[in-house]
Amino acid sequence: MIKRKLLERFLPTTPGLRVLDIGCGPAPDRDLMGEVEWTGLELNEKYVRYVERRLRRNDRILLGDVAKVPEFLGEVFDVVLLSGVLHHLTDEQAQGVLENCSPLLDHDGFVLTIDPVRTTGASRLERLLLDADRGNYIRDKTGYDRLVPSSLGRVESSVHHGLGWLPQAQRVSVLRR
Ligand SMILES: C[S@@+](CC[C@H](N)C(=O)[O-])C[C@H]1O[C@@H](n2cnc3c(N)ncnc32)[C@H](O)[C@@H]1O
């Protein structure tokens, strides 16, 4: 529900949009994207094997580490998606991943990140949910903004509340070269 709303809002509907879904996991976001040219990149082989059995025509799933992407992929994309990934990474890891996304963008391409965010007005329930999240690095908006490398200098970031039935604010960023 939350992801559906955010992807509807931030992902262009251009037919044939080339999307690289980094850290796609079992690819729950793929079905929310419509007719894009989807490439998943995932570190965990179990997820890759799972996704392989469900691929649509023209979709691909790659086993690999984004840290090595620019070397082995040799392609560019309209959107590089990091959905629910940054809050699982340390600052150093997240900065490295974002740095590696920059050469993967076509001229008008952008990196789209979506993560839970800590906000000052969060209720007790929301704070409990954030503490229970498996991601150990849920930041406030400034904390996420600090991860952005200079190679992705055009930043639009926003915080979204009330998208699902449980309270969990989401921070979205659109990063361009
Ligand atoms: C919390 S899951 C998010 C999965 C999915 N994007 C979603 O929104 O449900 C984070 C995923 O990122 C993957 N991951 C973490 N670091 C990675 C890296 N350096 N390269 C590729 N995948 C990575 C993990 O294996 C995991 O499947």
Side-chain angles (χ1 to χ4, degrees):
M1 162 87 100
I2 291 178
K3 288 281 188 65
R4 181 184 296 280
K5 287 183 181 166
L6 291 174
L7 290 174
E8 273 175 10
R9 176 153 171 195
F10 287 96
L11 207 63
T13 52
T14 322
L17 189 81
R18 294 160 298 172
V19 177
L20 176 63
D21 188 348
I22 291 178
C24 63
D29 293 343
R30 172 62 189 101
D31 289 335
L32 308 176
M33 291 185 206
E35 296 308 312
V36 299
E37 283 182 20
W38 184 85
T39 302
L41 174 69
E42 175 52 53
L43 201 53
N44 182 329
E45 189 169 356
K46 281 189 188 153
Y47 285 143
V48 171
R49 300 298 162 235
Y50 173 86
V51 174
E52 269 174 350
R53 296 196 294 273
R54 288 160 180 79
L55 284 179
R56 300 184 191 192
R57 204 159 55 92
N58 299 329
D59 283 1
R60 292 181 298 177
I61 176 78
L62 305 172
L63 173 65
D65 185 339
V66 71
K68 295 169 189 146
V69 164
E71 294 152 37
F72 76 78
L73 205 57
E75 286 176 42
V76 289
F77 297 85
D78 302 304
V79 179
V80 174
L81 177 65
L82 287 162
S83 171
V85 175
L86 294 181
H87 75 283
H88 288 269
L89 305 179
T90 65
D91 280 9
E92 193 183 356
Q93 289 169 328
Q95 283 159 354
V97 166
L98 289 171
E99 190 72 64
N100 284 330
C101 288
S102 175
L104 298 172
L105 297 176
D106 206 349
H107 301 299
D108 298 324
F110 62 89
V111 179
L112 176 62
T113 77
I114 304 174
D115 287 279
V117 61
R118 294 189 187 278
T119 59
T120 44
S123 65
R124 185 172 152 71
L125 174 59
E126 182 162 1
R127 280 183 275 125
L128 281 172
L129 289 170
L130 291 174
D131 292 341
D133 193 288
R134 282 187 298 141
N136 290 328
Y137 303 95
I138 299 180
R139 302 160 173 95
D140 61 14
K141 184 171 175 296
T142 317
Y144 284 114
D145 288 342
R146 268 202 297 267
L147 302 175
V148 179
S150 54
S151 57
L152 294 169
R154 291 157 59 204
V155 182
E156 291 162 43
S157 69
S158 47
V159 172
H160 303 262
H161 300 267
L163 297 174
W165 58 276
L166 282 173
Q168 196 184 59
Q170 300 289 317
R171 185 261 192 185
V172 174
S173 71
V174 174
L175 313 174
R176 297 175 196 273
R177 285 203 297 258

